[in-house]
Amino acid sequence: MNKTMRITVDGRKIRASPGQTIMDACDDAGVYVPRLCDVEGLVPQGSCRVCTVKADGHTVAACTEPAEPGMKVENDTLEIKNYRRDLVRMLFHEGNHLCPICEASGRCELQAMAYRLRISQATKYPYLQPVRPVDASHPDIALDNNRCILCGRCIRASRDVDGKHVFEYVGRGIHKRIGVNAENLAATNASIDDYAMSLEVCPVGCIIRKREGFFAPIGARQFDREPIGMDVETRQEHHVPKRRPDPAFGNDGTK
Amino acid sequence: MSVENPKTRIVEIEPLTRVEGHGKVTVHLDHDHNVVEARLHIVEFRGFERFIRGRLLWEVPVIVQRLCGICPVSHHLAAAKAMDAIVGADVLPPTAEKMRRLMHYGQIMQSHVLHFFHLSSPDLLFGFGAPVKKRNVFSVIKEFPELARQGVMLRKYGQEVIEYTAGKKIHGTGAIPGGINKNLSIRERDALLGNIERMIRWAGGAVGVAKDYTLSHLPQVEQFANFKSNHLSLVRDDGALDLYHGNLRAIDASGNIIFDQVDYTRFNDYLMEEVRPWSYMKFPFIKSRGNLDGWYRVGPLSRLNNVSYIDTPLAEKEYRTFREFSRRKPNHMTLAYHWARMIEVLHCVEKIHELLLDTDLQGTDLRVTGARREEGIGVIEAPRGSLFHHYKVDEHDQVTYCNLIVSTTHNNSGLNRAVTDVARKYVGGKKRITEGLLNHVEVAVRAYDPCLSCATHALGQMPLVVELFDAQGHLLHTNSQYVDRPAAGLKP
Ligand code: SF4
Ligand code: SF4
Ligand code: FES
């Protein structure tokens, strides 16, 4: 094992191992970098840019950028926070989010991020308010694309963990969507027991486990108990390092 | 975007449907300037039924709360009852049914109290003729501070009951198809029990205020929009008042039973809805009596006319006085709604007390499911009267059909009668809409407590416009004022 190095985050010195991303080093040190498309257990993809930090003066995605010895990282500055706010706001504008009627409310990472970043007012931009049909064809799973933030976590989970390819991106630009690799979800080999369908994977209320909605009472939902990021910030010094897919596995989940 | 914050509860940036509506009354005169008819026009918005189509069945009890800022819990529970039928939950676990009842009593209590203290007490305490500047809740607070305080505290108590059962004071999630998502913790129970005696005392006092008002203003009360009608409500299988569940009973103006113990899922066999060209809101009537004689009223007055007794002692005592007052015949006085409403508040508080002492509320068996059905009907007695929710759901769990009959729709004919009645008295050959007429129309409309926003499925404050037409249909005069609904109420 190579020697660990030191980097500075907002003036605080933390340890990083070679090859580690800024995000993983920060996590290990109990410093939270906001994120949406990255989640423990999946390969980072670097697409939502909510984890944007400044590393030695350049804006980079913390979830994909490797830590370098002596790197100076700005994470919790006003400038960075404002970038993140704009990015998160845009996600609300792009989709159709009515939190009070959404079963992900209270455990939704997008909503929790909005609170963490203290976004509570509408911006001056119009909401696109798309009306996208719900795919409820599968007996146990539904897909409500109105709430999808295109984080791709489902794609990676299905491909890298389940060894299936249930989800994929379709379309480009503003028309980009999450699609399934068949006519509808029922026609795929998706199963409710797939990792991709677990509550850990979809950060919002797009992948829905049928007939479980609103089982958790208000007050007992994940982010009712503690704000997003608190789990990282309250980590003990000697904790189990973050889980990432075994590099021995290929991208398609095969050896 | 609208984000709900578990802690600070900011927000509600975009309502589900932002639709402007208004209550408009048109008064129609004949050649001699006598009032022929007055019509209450409510711009109805059916967007909701469309919105809900395609949504998933377990979302429905949560979504329907967006229909109404005043009694979201009633919609929540009516929809949950309909969804119980769809998921085959024919008998709920006791904890679930009792938690829902608790929620419902809290809701009726807070809604009735809001109505009485914040909206109606100015009319009652200062008189309808008083100028709008005086006839408002702020004057009540100034001149009757103790009464106002009790109103605020009673309402707050009802809201707390809702919070402990639904998770939030407004737009909670407690009821789920087949049950409930939480029980009542000992801490929550004790917090509520701590204040219950006071609430019972104050609710009793409020009945006194409404009763005294009625008795001491008899000539006015008897004249004011007092007209005969049929009455409809749920009653328990022994005829007792039951606001959460029961069968349909209808009586005629003299108190004779038209039908009784009708399973509400068969309401279509007993009720019909008539369409009139000038109104988007339908006019329901009792089939067997036809559209001319079959119209009926719902709500607190109808319930108390309908039921055989009340199963809580203090409310039952008040109920007897109420019935004796109209010699055990149905009471048709529009203004007696207030009295009836306060008796119901007392009943709710007594029921809440009863439930709080029941250990079933700490049970952990929260939901059941059974054989799936395609169709479900849920009926509940909402603060303003019977509320019907009817859905069909396909095999993918998606809603394919939704029809709601809200209390204001049931009362549509009654409202129009009341408005006509008032117009006859106060237009009096004049060609102008005086403030007096406007005030009286407003009071008559308000006595029904029509949830205009709910009937129109829109949200927000609505102006009441009154227009006067001559026999040729020419507009003679128009006047308007806001029917204010302080949805957020007063902060204690
Ligand atoms: S997915 Fe999240 S942000 Fe979107 S409506 Fe649901 S709770 Fe709100
Ligand atoms: S469905 Fe969920 S996990 Fe997949 S891209 Fe959309 S938001 Fe991300
Ligand atoms: S978390 Fe890094 S780009 Fe999304």
Side-chain angles (χ1 to χ4, degrees):
Chain A
M1 182 112 188
N2 290 326
K3 267 182 59 184
T4 58
M5 55 184 135
R6 284 184 181 277
I7 64 172
T8 339
V9 183
D10 296 332
R12 189 182 141 193
K13 284 209 166 52
I14 66 167
R15 241 191 294 268
S17 2
Q20 225 182 0
T21 60
I22 298 175
M23 172 90 86
D24 286 355
C26 285
D27 276 3
D28 287 352
V31 174
Y32 180 66
V33 181
R35 73 210 61 182
L36 286 173
C37 71
D38 188 37
V39 67
E40 185 162 359
L42 297 179
V43 225
Q45 158 175 310
S47 65
C48 75
R49 313 312 276 191
V50 171
C51 68
T52 295
V53 293
K54 267 194 178 172
D56 294 333
H58 302 287
T59 51
V60 295
C63 69
T64 47
E65 191 72 12
E68 302 283 349
M71 197 179 234
K72 283 195 173 42
V73 176
E74 294 166 47
N75 174 39
D76 205 24
T77 64
L78 185 63
E79 183 191 7
I80 299 283
K81 277 196 276 200
N82 281 335
Y83 285 146
R84 292 176 182 154
R85 282 194 185 111
D86 283 344
L87 287 165
V88 170
R89 277 203 187 101
M90 287 308 156
L91 292 174
F92 279 101
H93 282 271
E94 193 276 330
N96 201 347
H97 296 273
L98 291 155
C99 299
I101 61 169
C102 174
E103 62 184 88
S105 232
R107 67 161 164 80
C108 167
E109 294 177 30
L110 177 63
Q111 182 192 45
M113 195 59 74
Y115 285 123
R116 178 160 179 130
L117 298 173
R118 300 190 190 288
I119 300 171
S120 61
Q121 295 301 309
T123 56
K124 57 184 189 297
Y125 305 111
Y127 289 91
L128 297 182
Q129 297 192 329
V131 182
R132 303 177 188 138
V134 174
D135 178 354
S137 57
H138 193 282
D140 304 314
I141 311 156
L143 211 56
D144 184 349
N145 253 311
N146 294 292
R147 302 168 184 153
C148 178
I149 57 169
L150 299 173
C151 67
R153 279 157 58 163
C154 53
I155 301 179
R156 284 170 282 155
S158 181
R159 184 190 63 202
D160 302 344
V161 180
D162 299 326
K164 299 181 178 181
H165 290 84
V166 171
F167 299 101
E168 62 201 1
Y169 286 122
V170 293
R172 288 161 179 271
I174 190 76
H175 301 293
K176 189 162 159 182
R177 289 289 150 265
I178 282 292
V180 294
N181 68 1
E183 192 190 332
N184 56 30
L185 206 52
T188 67
N189 57 348
S191 146
I192 188 72
D193 301 321
D194 289 352
Y195 179 61
M197 311 308 163
S198 72
L199 293 179
E200 282 167 48
V201 171
C202 182
V204 292
C206 178
I207 297 178
I208 292 169
R209 297 172 65 87
K210 280 189 170 183
R211 298 174 294 276
E212 290 179 14
F214 307 102
F215 274 15
I218 295 170
R221 302 168 306 184
Q222 185 181 355
F223 299 123
D224 291 338
R225 295 191 303 255
E226 55 173 44
I228 193 165
M230 186 109 139
D231 53 339
V232 171
E233 287 162 335
T234 54
R235 275 191 183 174
Q236 298 304 312
E237 277 233 358
H238 304 287
H239 70 278
V240 195
K242 263 178 88 175
R243 187 164 47 88
R244 286 290 180 194
D246 185 343
F249 280 82
N251 256 359
D252 56 359
T254 51
K255 272 244 180 184
Chain B
M1 170 179 88
S2 70
V3 184
E4 61 168 347
N5 189 333
K7 294 220 172 45
T8 53
R9 305 192 202 292
I10 332 174
V11 204
E12 205 28 19
I13 298 159
E14 290 284 285
L16 188 63
T17 52
R18 192 186 289 287
V19 181
E20 294 301 321
H22 56 257
K24 185 171 78 174
V25 171
T26 55
V27 182
H28 304 266
L29 304 178
D30 65 11
H31 291 288
D32 305 320
H33 294 299
N34 297 317
V35 173
V36 182
E37 185 188 21
R39 298 167 173 171
L40 174 67
H41 303 254
I42 294 177
V43 183
E44 191 167 30
F45 174 69
R46 282 295 191 177
F48 184 75
E49 275 89 341
R50 230 173 299 132
F51 176 87
I52 200 93
R53 235 174 279 155
R55 295 311 315 180
L56 302 160
L57 75 93
W58 53 93
E59 297 180 330
V60 175
V62 178
I63 295 178
V64 291
Q65 301 186 81
R66 317 305 297 171
L67 277 171
C68 176
I70 315 289
C71 58
V73 171
S74 307
H75 286 291
H76 180 56
L77 292 173
K81 286 177 78 174
M83 292 307 159
D84 291 345
I86 288 178
V87 303
D90 294 331
V91 180
L92 297 192
T95 308
E97 154 133 8
K98 287 174 185 176
M99 283 295 283
R100 286 193 191 177
R101 279 184 177 272
L102 186 61
M103 190 193 302
H104 190 48
Y105 294 128
Q107 152 75 6
I108 299 231
M109 171 186 173
Q110 75 91 14
S111 164
H112 277 0
V113 166
L114 170 75
H115 185 276
F116 185 71
F117 287 95
H118 295 178
L119 300 176
S120 303
S121 75
D123 295 339
L124 303 186
L125 296 169
F126 302 118
F128 310 133
V132 176
K133 246 168 67 198
K134 168 111 184 168
R135 215 158 38 84
N136 60 50
V137 69
F138 301 105
S139 307
V140 176
I141 293 172
K142 219 160 106 208
E143 298 189 24
F144 302 89
E146 180 52 25
L147 190 67
R149 194 178 72 90
Q150 291 179 8
V152 169
M153 298 305 284
L154 275 164
R155 174 146 192 260
K156 190 161 165 260
Y157 188 84
Q159 288 174 323
E160 268 161 23
V161 172
I162 297 173
E163 181 171 356
Y164 292 154
T165 46
K168 274 169 75 189
K169 288 194 176 74
I170 187 157
H171 302 311
T173 63
I176 50 180
I180 192 92
N181 67 13
K182 77 186 282 290
N183 64 10
L184 194 73
S185 70
I186 300 284
R187 187 189 57 79
E188 291 164 336
R189 181 198 66 189
D190 292 346
L192 292 174
L193 270 179
N195 282 319
I196 191 77
E197 306 285 343
R198 256 196 320 166
M199 296 303 143
I200 294 177
R201 216 167 47 240
W202 289 348
V207 178
V209 172
K211 178 168 60 185
D212 293 348
Y213 170 81
T214 314
L215 299 180
S216 59
H217 291 74
L218 264 189
Q220 190 181 12
V221 172
E222 275 175 343
Q223 271 180 32
F224 188 85
N226 177 3
F227 49 86
K228 299 196 148 115
S229 73
N230 307 309
H231 297 278
L232 176 92
S233 75
L234 292 180
V235 297
R236 202 165 73 183
D237 45 17
D238 64 351
L241 177 68
D242 192 336
L243 299 165
Y244 177 76
H245 194 67
N247 296 315
L248 292 169
R249 175 187 279 180
I251 58 167
D252 68 15
S254 331
N256 305 312
I257 299 271
I258 302 176
F259 54 74
D260 198 6
Q261 298 301 340
V262 166
D263 176 356
Y264 63 60
T265 60
R266 295 179 52 218
F267 80 88
N268 270 329
D269 299 341
Y270 292 82
L271 304 174
M272 272 183 89
E273 290 185 286
E274 185 197 348
V275 178
R276 293 189 197 161
W278 55 268
S279 176
Y280 288 102
M281 192 154 79
K282 291 176 184 165
F283 291 81
F285 60 92
I286 295 165
K287 249 188 197 174
S288 64
R289 296 285 162 125
N291 60 348
L292 289 181
D293 300 323
W295 66 277
Y296 55 88
R297 289 193 266 179
V298 299
L301 186 64
S302 304
R303 287 194 285 254
L304 293 204
N305 283 331
N306 242 356
V307 301
S308 316
Y309 74 103
I310 295 183
D311 68 343
T312 56
L314 300 175
E316 167 68 5
K317 192 159 159 275
E318 296 295 343
Y319 169 73
R320 287 220 197 105
T321 316
F322 178 86
R323 294 307 304 257
E324 291 313 325
F325 172 71
S326 54
R327 292 179 202 80
R328 300 207 66 82
K329 290 283 170 217
N331 185 330
H332 295 286
M333 295 177 289
T334 295
L335 285 178
Y337 263 94
H338 300 304
W339 188 3
R341 213 170 263 135
M342 288 308 102
I343 295 177
E344 288 191 341
V345 169
L346 184 57
H347 169 68
C348 288
V349 183
E350 287 183 283
K351 276 290 185 192
I352 290 171
H353 191 194
E354 208 175 272
L355 283 166
L356 290 176
L357 300 174
D358 188 333
T359 50
D360 275 349
L361 285 184
Q362 280 78 47
T364 49
D365 188 8
L366 299 183
R367 56 171 190 271
V368 287
T369 49
R372 185 62 180 269
R373 294 192 191 92
E374 279 174 14
E375 196 169 347
I377 294 174
V379 177
I380 198 163
E381 285 298 322
R384 289 150 194 81
S386 318
L387 172 63
F388 292 51
H389 276 223
H390 183 184
Y391 302 95
K392 291 181 188 161
V393 174
D394 67 14
E395 74 276 22
H396 301 305
D397 299 321
Q398 287 178 294
V399 174
T400 56
Y401 169 88
C402 158
N403 185 34
L404 312 178
I405 310 180
V406 303
S407 333
T408 302
T409 307
H410 291 295
N411 277 332
N412 200 1
S413 291
L415 271 160
N416 278 282
R417 298 273 165 145
V419 168
T420 301
D421 200 65
V422 166
R424 287 219 171 99
K425 264 181 208 117
Y426 295 90
V427 169
K430 292 185 218 80
K431 291 189 197 163
R432 292 189 60 76
I433 314 251
T434 57
E435 206 197 327
L437 171 66
L438 205 55
N439 289 349
H440 280 82
V441 166
E442 190 199 316
V443 173
V445 170
R446 198 187 270 169
Y448 282 90
D449 197 7
C451 209
L452 296 187
S453 65
C454 165
T456 57
H457 303 180
L459 296 164
Q461 190 194 43
M462 300 194 184
L464 176 70
V465 183
V466 181
E467 295 175 347
L468 191 64
F469 290 91
D470 68 11
Q472 283 80 43
H474 298 131
L475 182 64
L476 295 174
H477 184 229
T478 169
N479 202 343
S480 68
Q481 70 191 24
Y482 272 87
V483 182
D484 200 7
R485 306 221 47 129
L490 293 176
K491 297 256 153 40

